[in-house]
Amino acid sequence: MKCHLKAKLTVLIVILIFGFVFSASSSTKTQTTCEKMLKAYGSKIALPEEVGRFFNGERLNLIFKMNKGSDISVNGQVMKNAIGNIKCGSKGMSDYDVTLTEEAAKSLSKSDTPAKTFVSHMKKGEIKIKANGMMQAFKLKIAEMMMATQK
């Protein structure tokens, strides 16, 4: 009986260790993907100047929903005409969490009219913004009303 219990405990410990190693290696892989993305595209994302002025100083978590099933999370801060200081991983205390599909991100990066492209992807549900605070929600509502006038 003791031998049978010991065998079960050993199997359970092996499963737990395997799970820990697997999750650690997949997190390292995601981090590596994020670092490659930052190296390829830089640590800034261009924004229209009016958006930068309106949201200046706000902290963001950007979550890219990749086609292959994994997410890439980065965090940064809105500046005059860009999201700057971009680093891998999310920060707990962000003002906004922005989730976008890989297609939306690629489309925005190639667009000649990023504001219109952004609005189009939001309407399709490919870009979602969550405000983390009452003032942020108020600012977001104003921005959404302004975007509604974009054609």
Side-chain angles (χ1 to χ4, degrees), residues 67-137:
N67 293 336
K68 295 180 181 176
S70 62
D71 296 348
I72 295 177
S73 297
V74 297
N75 67 81
Q77 188 165 17
V78 177
M79 302 171 140
K80 180 180 172 185
N81 58 357
I83 300 169
N85 302 322
I86 296 177
K87 295 177 179 60
C88 293
S90 345
K91 288 247 185 192
M93 296 295 293
S94 69
D95 297 307
Y96 300 92
D97 294 327
V98 182
T99 305
L100 59 162
T101 63
E102 185 174 353
E103 291 82 15
K106 286 178 180 175
S107 173
L108 278 168
S109 71
K110 296 175 183 175
S111 177
D112 292 331
T113 55
K116 288 180 183 179
T117 304
F118 187 89
V119 171
S120 172
H121 285 293
M122 273 192 74
K123 287 179 180 175
K124 293 178 194 173
E126 295 172 346
I127 297 176
K128 296 177 184 166
I129 304 172
K130 177 184 166 245
N132 297 319
M134 193 180 310
M135 284 303 296
Q136 289 78 15

Coordinates of all heavy atoms in Angstrom, one line a residue, residues 67-137:
N67 N -1.6 35.2 -34.9 CA -2.4 34.1 -35.6 C -2.1 32.7 -35.1 O -2.9 31.9 -35.2 CB -2.0 34.2 -37.1 CG -2.6 35.5 -37.7 OD1 -3.6 36.1 -37.2 ND2 -2.0 36.0 -38.8
K68 N -0.8 32.5 -34.6 CA -0.4 31.2 -34.2 C -0.9 30.8 -32.8 O -0.5 29.8 -32.3 CB 1.1 31.0 -34.3 CG 1.5 31.1 -35.8 CD 3.0 30.9 -35.9 CE 3.4 31.1 -37.4 NZ 4.9 31.0 -37.5
G69 N -1.7 31.7 -32.2 CA -2.3 31.4 -30.9 C -1.7 32.0 -29.7 O -2.3 32.1 -28.7
S70 N -0.5 32.4 -29.8 CA 0.2 33.1 -28.6 C 0.0 34.6 -28.7 O -0.3 35.1 -29.7 CB 1.6 32.7 -28.6 OG 2.3 33.2 -29.7
D71 N 0.0 35.2 -27.5 CA -0.1 36.6 -27.5 C 1.3 37.2 -27.2 O 2.1 36.6 -26.6 CB -1.0 37.1 -26.3 CG -2.4 36.6 -26.4 OD1 -2.8 36.2 -27.6 OD2 -3.2 36.7 -25.5
I72 N 1.5 38.4 -27.7 CA 2.7 39.2 -27.4 C 2.2 40.4 -26.7 O 1.4 41.2 -27.2 CB 3.5 39.5 -28.6 CG1 4.0 38.3 -29.3 CG2 4.6 40.5 -28.3 CD1 4.7 38.5 -30.6
S73 N 2.7 40.6 -25.4 CA 2.4 41.8 -24.6 C 3.6 42.7 -24.5 O 4.7 42.3 -24.2 CB 1.9 41.4 -23.2 OG 0.8 40.6 -23.3
V74 N 3.3 44.0 -24.7 CA 4.3 45.0 -24.5 C 3.6 46.2 -23.7 O 2.4 46.3 -23.6 CB 4.9 45.6 -25.8 CG1 5.6 44.5 -26.6 CG2 3.8 46.2 -26.7
N75 N 4.5 47.0 -23.1 CA 3.9 48.2 -22.4 C 4.7 49.4 -22.8 O 5.9 49.3 -23.3 CB 4.0 48.0 -20.9 CG 5.4 47.9 -20.4 OD1 6.0 48.9 -20.1 ND2 5.9 46.7 -20.1
G76 N 4.1 50.5 -22.8 CA 4.7 51.8 -23.2 C 4.0 53.0 -22.7 O 3.0 52.8 -22.0
Q77 N 4.4 54.1 -23.1 CA 3.8 55.4 -22.7 C 3.6 56.3 -23.9 O 4.4 56.4 -24.8 CB 4.7 56.1 -21.7 CG 4.1 57.3 -21.0 CD 4.9 57.7 -19.8 OE1 6.0 57.3 -19.6 NE2 4.2 58.5 -18.9
V78 N 2.4 56.9 -23.9 CA 2.1 57.8 -25.0 C 2.9 59.1 -24.9 O 3.0 59.7 -23.8 CB 0.5 58.2 -25.0 CG1 0.2 59.1 -26.1 CG2 -0.3 56.9 -25.1
M79 N 3.5 59.5 -26.0 CA 4.3 60.7 -26.1 C 3.6 61.6 -27.1 O 2.5 61.3 -27.6 CB 5.7 60.3 -26.5 CG 6.3 59.4 -25.5 SD 7.9 58.8 -26.1 CE 8.9 58.8 -24.6
K80 N 4.3 62.7 -27.5 CA 3.7 63.7 -28.4 C 3.2 63.0 -29.7 O 2.1 63.3 -30.1 CB 4.8 64.7 -28.8 CG 4.4 65.8 -29.7 CD 5.5 66.8 -30.0 CE 5.1 67.7 -31.0 NZ 6.2 68.6 -31.4
N81 N 4.0 62.2 -30.4 CA 3.5 61.6 -31.6 C 3.9 60.1 -31.8 O 4.0 59.6 -32.9 CB 4.1 62.4 -32.8 CG 5.6 62.4 -32.8 OD1 6.2 61.9 -31.9 ND2 6.2 63.0 -33.8
A82 N 4.0 59.5 -30.6 CA 4.3 58.0 -30.6 C 4.0 57.4 -29.3 O 3.8 58.1 -28.3 CB 5.8 57.9 -30.9
I83 N 4.0 56.1 -29.3 CA 4.0 55.3 -28.0 C 5.5 55.0 -27.9 O 6.1 54.3 -28.7 CB 3.1 54.1 -28.1 CG1 1.7 54.4 -28.4 CG2 3.3 53.2 -26.8 CD1 0.8 53.2 -28.7
G84 N 6.1 55.4 -26.8 CA 7.5 55.2 -26.6 C 7.8 54.4 -25.4 O 6.9 53.9 -24.7
N85 N 9.1 54.2 -25.1 CA 9.6 53.4 -24.0 C 9.0 52.0 -24.0 O 8.6 51.5 -22.9 CB 9.3 54.1 -22.7 CG 10.0 55.5 -22.6 OD1 11.1 55.7 -23.1 ND2 9.3 56.4 -22.0
I86 N 8.8 51.4 -25.2 CA 8.2 50.1 -25.2 C 9.1 49.0 -24.7 O 10.2 49.0 -25.1 CB 7.7 49.8 -26.7 CG1 6.7 50.9 -27.1 CG2 7.2 48.4 -26.8 CD1 6.2 50.7 -28.5
K87 N 8.5 48.2 -23.9 CA 9.2 47.1 -23.3 C 8.3 45.8 -23.3 O 7.1 45.9 -23.4 CB 9.6 47.4 -21.8 CG 10.6 48.5 -21.7 CD 10.8 48.9 -20.2 CE 11.8 50.0 -20.1 NZ 11.4 51.3 -20.6
C88 N 9.0 44.7 -23.3 CA 8.2 43.4 -23.4 C 7.5 43.2 -22.0 O 8.0 43.6 -21.0 CB 9.2 42.2 -23.6 SG 9.9 42.3 -25.3
G89 N 6.3 42.6 -22.2 CA 5.5 42.2 -21.0 C 4.5 43.3 -20.6 O 4.6 44.4 -21.1
S90 N 3.5 43.0 -19.9 CA 2.5 44.0 -19.4 C 2.9 44.5 -18.1 O 3.6 43.9 -17.3 CB 1.1 43.4 -19.3 OG 0.9 42.2 -19.9
K91 N 2.4 45.7 -17.8 CA 2.6 46.3 -16.5 C 1.2 46.3 -15.8 O 0.2 46.6 -16.5 CB 3.1 47.8 -16.7 CG 4.5 47.9 -17.1 CD 5.3 48.5 -16.0 CE 6.7 48.7 -16.5 NZ 7.7 48.9 -15.6
G92 N 1.2 46.0 -14.6 CA 0.0 46.0 -13.8 C -0.8 47.3 -13.8 O -2.0 47.3 -13.9
M93 N -0.1 48.4 -13.7 CA -0.7 49.7 -13.5 C -0.7 50.5 -14.8 O -0.1 51.5 -14.9 CB 0.0 50.4 -12.4 CG 0.0 49.8 -11.0 SD -1.7 49.7 -10.3 CE -2.0 51.5 -10.1
S94 N -1.5 50.0 -15.7 CA -1.6 50.8 -17.0 C -2.9 51.6 -16.9 O -3.8 51.3 -16.2 CB -1.6 49.8 -18.2 OG -2.8 49.1 -18.2
D95 N -2.9 52.7 -17.7 CA -4.1 53.5 -17.9 C -5.1 52.8 -18.8 O -6.3 53.0 -18.7 CB -3.7 54.9 -18.3 CG -2.8 55.6 -17.3 OD1 -3.2 55.7 -16.1 OD2 -1.7 56.1 -17.7
Y96 N -4.5 52.2 -19.8 CA -5.3 51.5 -20.9 C -4.7 50.2 -21.2 O -3.5 50.0 -21.3 CB -5.4 52.4 -22.1 CG -6.0 53.7 -21.9 CD1 -5.2 54.8 -21.6 CD2 -7.4 53.9 -21.9 CE1 -5.8 56.1 -21.4 CE2 -8.0 55.2 -21.7 CZ -7.1 56.2 -21.4 OH -7.7 57.5 -21.2
D97 N -5.6 49.2 -21.5 CA -5.2 47.9 -22.1 C -5.7 47.9 -23.5 O -7.0 48.0 -23.7 CB -5.7 46.7 -21.3 CG -5.1 46.7 -19.9 OD1 -3.9 47.0 -19.7 OD2 -5.8 46.2 -19.0
V98 N -4.9 47.8 -24.5 CA -5.3 47.8 -25.9 C -5.0 46.4 -26.5 O -3.8 45.9 -26.5 CB -4.5 48.8 -26.7 CG1 -5.0 48.9 -28.2 CG2 -4.7 50.2 -26.1
T99 N -6.0 45.7 -27.0 CA -5.9 44.4 -27.6 C -6.1 44.5 -29.1 O -7.1 45.1 -29.5 CB -6.9 43.4 -27.0 OG1 -6.7 43.4 -25.5 CG2 -6.6 42.0 -27.5
L100 N -5.2 44.0 -29.9 CA -5.4 44.1 -31.3 C -4.9 42.8 -32.0 O -4.0 42.1 -31.5 CB -4.7 45.3 -31.9 CG -3.3 45.5 -31.8 CD1 -2.8 46.5 -32.9 CD2 -2.9 46.1 -30.5
T101 N -5.6 42.5 -33.1 CA -5.2 41.3 -33.8 C -3.9 41.5 -34.6 O -3.5 42.7 -34.8 CB -6.3 40.8 -34.8 OG1 -6.4 41.9 -35.8 CG2 -7.6 40.6 -34.1
E102 N -3.3 40.5 -35.0 CA -2.0 40.6 -35.8 C -2.3 41.3 -37.1 O -1.6 42.1 -37.6 CB -1.5 39.2 -36.1 CG -0.1 39.2 -36.8 CD 0.5 37.8 -36.9 OE1 0.0 36.8 -36.3 OE2 1.5 37.7 -37.6
E103 N -3.5 41.0 -37.7 CA -3.9 41.6 -39.0 C -4.0 43.1 -38.8 O -3.6 43.9 -39.6 CB -5.2 41.0 -39.5 CG -5.1 39.6 -40.0 CD -5.2 38.6 -38.9 OE1 -5.6 38.9 -37.7 OE2 -4.8 37.4 -39.1
A104 N -4.7 43.5 -37.7 CA -4.9 45.0 -37.4 C -3.6 45.7 -37.3 O -3.4 46.8 -37.8 CB -5.8 45.2 -36.2
A105 N -2.7 45.0 -36.5 CA -1.3 45.7 -36.3 C -0.6 45.8 -37.6 O 0.0 46.9 -37.9 CB -0.5 44.8 -35.3
K106 N -0.6 44.8 -38.5 CA 0.1 44.9 -39.7 C -0.5 45.9 -40.6 O 0.1 46.7 -41.3 CB 0.1 43.5 -40.4 CG 1.0 42.5 -39.8 CD 0.9 41.2 -40.5 CE 1.9 40.2 -39.9 NZ 1.7 38.8 -40.5
S107 N -1.9 46.0 -40.6 CA -2.6 46.9 -41.5 C -2.3 48.4 -41.0 O -2.0 49.2 -41.9 CB -4.1 46.6 -41.3 OG -4.8 47.6 -42.0
L108 N -2.2 48.6 -39.7 CA -1.9 49.9 -39.2 C -0.5 50.3 -39.6 O -0.3 51.5 -39.9 CB -2.1 50.0 -37.7 CG -3.5 50.2 -37.2 CD1 -3.6 49.9 -35.7 CD2 -4.0 51.6 -37.5
S109 N 0.4 49.4 -39.5 CA 1.8 49.7 -39.8 C 2.0 50.1 -41.2 O 3.0 50.8 -41.6 CB 2.8 48.6 -39.4 OG 2.6 47.5 -40.2
K110 N 1.2 49.6 -42.1 CA 1.3 49.9 -43.6 C 0.4 51.0 -44.1 O 0.5 51.4 -45.2 CB 1.1 48.6 -44.4 CG 2.1 47.5 -44.1 CD 1.7 46.3 -44.8 CE 2.6 45.1 -44.4 NZ 2.2 43.9 -45.0
S111 N -0.5 51.5 -43.2 CA -1.5 52.4 -43.7 C -1.0 53.8 -43.9 O -0.2 54.4 -43.2 CB -2.6 52.5 -42.6 OG -3.6 53.4 -43.0
D112 N -1.6 54.4 -45.0 CA -1.3 55.8 -45.3 C -2.2 56.7 -44.5 O -2.0 57.9 -44.3 CB -1.5 56.1 -46.8 CG -0.4 55.4 -47.6 OD1 0.7 55.2 -47.1 OD2 -0.7 55.1 -48.8
T113 N -3.3 56.1 -44.0 CA -4.3 56.9 -43.2 C -4.6 56.1 -41.9 O -5.6 55.5 -41.7 CB -5.6 57.0 -44.0 OG1 -6.1 55.7 -44.4 CG2 -5.5 57.9 -45.2
P114 N -3.6 56.1 -40.9 CA -3.7 55.3 -39.7 C -4.9 55.6 -38.9 O -5.5 54.7 -38.3 CB -2.4 55.6 -39.0 CG -1.8 56.8 -39.6 CD -2.4 56.9 -41.0
A115 N -5.4 56.8 -38.8 CA -6.6 57.1 -38.0 C -7.8 56.4 -38.5 O -8.6 55.8 -37.8 CB -6.8 58.7 -37.9
K116 N -8.0 56.5 -39.9 CA -9.1 55.8 -40.5 C -9.0 54.3 -40.4 O -10.0 53.6 -40.1 CB -9.3 56.3 -42.0 CG -9.7 57.7 -42.1 CD -9.8 58.0 -43.6 CE -10.3 59.5 -43.8 NZ -10.3 59.9 -45.1
T117 N -7.8 53.8 -40.5 CA -7.6 52.4 -40.4 C -7.9 51.9 -39.0 O -8.5 50.9 -38.8 CB -6.1 52.1 -40.8 OG1 -5.9 52.5 -42.1 CG2 -5.9 50.6 -40.8
F118 N -7.4 52.7 -38.0 CA -7.7 52.4 -36.6 C -9.2 52.3 -36.3 O -9.7 51.3 -35.8 CB -7.0 53.4 -35.7 CG -7.1 53.1 -34.3 CD1 -6.1 52.3 -33.7 CD2 -8.1 53.5 -33.5 CE1 -6.1 52.0 -32.3 CE2 -8.2 53.2 -32.1 CZ -7.2 52.5 -31.5
V119 N -9.9 53.3 -36.8 CA -11.4 53.3 -36.6 C -12.0 52.1 -37.2 O -12.9 51.5 -36.7 CB -12.0 54.7 -37.1 CG1 -13.5 54.6 -37.1 CG2 -11.5 55.8 -36.3
S120 N -11.6 51.8 -38.4 CA -12.2 50.7 -39.2 C -12.0 49.4 -38.4 O -12.9 48.6 -38.3 CB -11.5 50.6 -40.6 OG -11.9 49.4 -41.2
H121 N -10.8 49.2 -37.9 CA -10.5 47.9 -37.1 C -11.2 47.9 -35.8 O -11.6 46.8 -35.3 CB -9.0 47.8 -36.9 CG -8.2 47.4 -38.1 ND1 -8.4 46.1 -38.7 CD2 -7.3 48.0 -38.9 CE1 -7.6 46.0 -39.8 NE2 -7.0 47.2 -39.9
M122 N -11.4 49.1 -35.2 CA -12.2 49.1 -33.9 C -13.7 48.7 -34.2 O -14.3 47.9 -33.5 CB -12.2 50.5 -33.3 CG -11.0 50.7 -32.4 SD -11.1 52.2 -31.4 CE -12.3 51.7 -30.2
K123 N -14.2 49.2 -35.3 CA -15.6 48.9 -35.7 C -15.8 47.4 -35.9 O -16.8 46.8 -35.7 CB -16.1 49.7 -36.9 CG -16.3 51.2 -36.5 CD -16.7 52.0 -37.8 CE -17.0 53.4 -37.4 NZ -17.3 54.2 -38.6
K124 N -14.7 46.8 -36.5 CA -14.8 45.3 -36.8 C -14.5 44.5 -35.5 O -14.6 43.3 -35.5 CB -13.7 45.0 -37.8 CG -14.0 45.5 -39.2 CD -12.9 45.2 -40.1 CE -12.9 45.9 -41.4 NZ -11.7 45.6 -42.2
G125 N -14.1 45.1 -34.4 CA -13.8 44.4 -33.2 C -12.4 43.8 -33.2 O -12.0 43.0 -32.3
E126 N -11.5 44.3 -34.1 CA -10.2 43.8 -34.2 C -9.2 44.6 -33.3 O -8.1 44.2 -33.1 CB -9.7 43.8 -35.6 CG -10.4 42.9 -36.5 CD -10.1 43.0 -38.0 OE1 -9.4 44.0 -38.4 OE2 -10.5 42.1 -38.7
I127 N -9.7 45.7 -32.8 CA -9.0 46.5 -31.8 C -10.0 46.8 -30.7 O -11.1 47.3 -30.9 CB -8.4 47.8 -32.4 CG1 -7.4 47.5 -33.5 CG2 -7.8 48.7 -31.3 CD1 -6.9 48.8 -34.2
K128 N -9.5 46.5 -29.4 CA -10.4 46.8 -28.3 C -9.5 47.6 -27.2 O -8.4 47.2 -27.0 CB -10.9 45.5 -27.7 CG -11.8 44.7 -28.6 CD -12.2 43.4 -28.0 CE -13.0 42.7 -29.1 NZ -13.2 41.3 -28.8
I129 N -10.2 48.6 -26.6 CA -9.5 49.4 -25.6 C -10.3 49.3 -24.3 O -11.5 49.5 -24.3 CB -9.4 50.8 -26.1 CG1 -8.7 50.9 -27.4 CG2 -8.6 51.7 -25.0 CD1 -8.7 52.3 -28.0
K130 N -9.6 49.0 -23.3 CA -10.2 49.0 -21.9 C -9.5 50.1 -21.1 O -8.3 50.1 -20.9 CB -10.0 47.6 -21.3 CG -10.5 47.5 -19.9 CD -10.2 46.2 -19.3 CE -10.4 46.2 -17.8 NZ -9.2 46.0 -17.0
A131 N -10.3 51.0 -20.6 CA -9.8 52.0 -19.7 C -9.7 51.5 -18.3 O -10.6 50.8 -17.8 CB -10.7 53.3 -19.8
N132 N -8.6 51.8 -17.6 CA -8.4 51.4 -16.2 C -8.5 52.5 -15.2 O -7.5 53.0 -14.7 CB -7.1 50.6 -16.1 CG -7.0 49.4 -16.9 OD1 -8.0 48.6 -17.0 ND2 -5.9 49.2 -17.5
G133 N -9.7 53.1 -15.1 CA -9.9 54.2 -14.2 C -11.0 55.1 -14.7 O -11.3 55.1 -15.9
M134 N -11.6 55.9 -13.8 CA -12.7 56.8 -14.2 C -12.3 57.9 -15.2 O -12.9 58.1 -16.2 CB -13.3 57.4 -13.0 CG -14.7 58.0 -13.3 SD -15.5 58.8 -11.8 CE -15.4 57.5 -10.6
M135 N -11.2 58.6 -14.9 CA -10.7 59.6 -15.8 C -10.3 59.1 -17.2 O -10.6 59.7 -18.2 CB -9.5 60.4 -15.2 CG -9.9 61.3 -14.1 SD -11.1 62.6 -14.6 CE -10.2 63.5 -15.9
Q136 N -9.7 57.9 -17.2 CA -9.3 57.2 -18.4 C -10.6 56.9 -19.3 O -10.6 57.0 -20.5 CB -8.4 56.0 -18.2 CG -7.0 56.4 -17.7 CD -7.0 56.7 -16.2 OE1 -7.9 56.5 -15.5 NE2 -5.9 57.3 -15.8
A137 N -11.6 56.4 -18.6 CA -12.8 56.0 -19.2 C -13.5 57.2 -19.8 O -14.0 57.2 -21.0 CB -13.8 55.3 -18.3

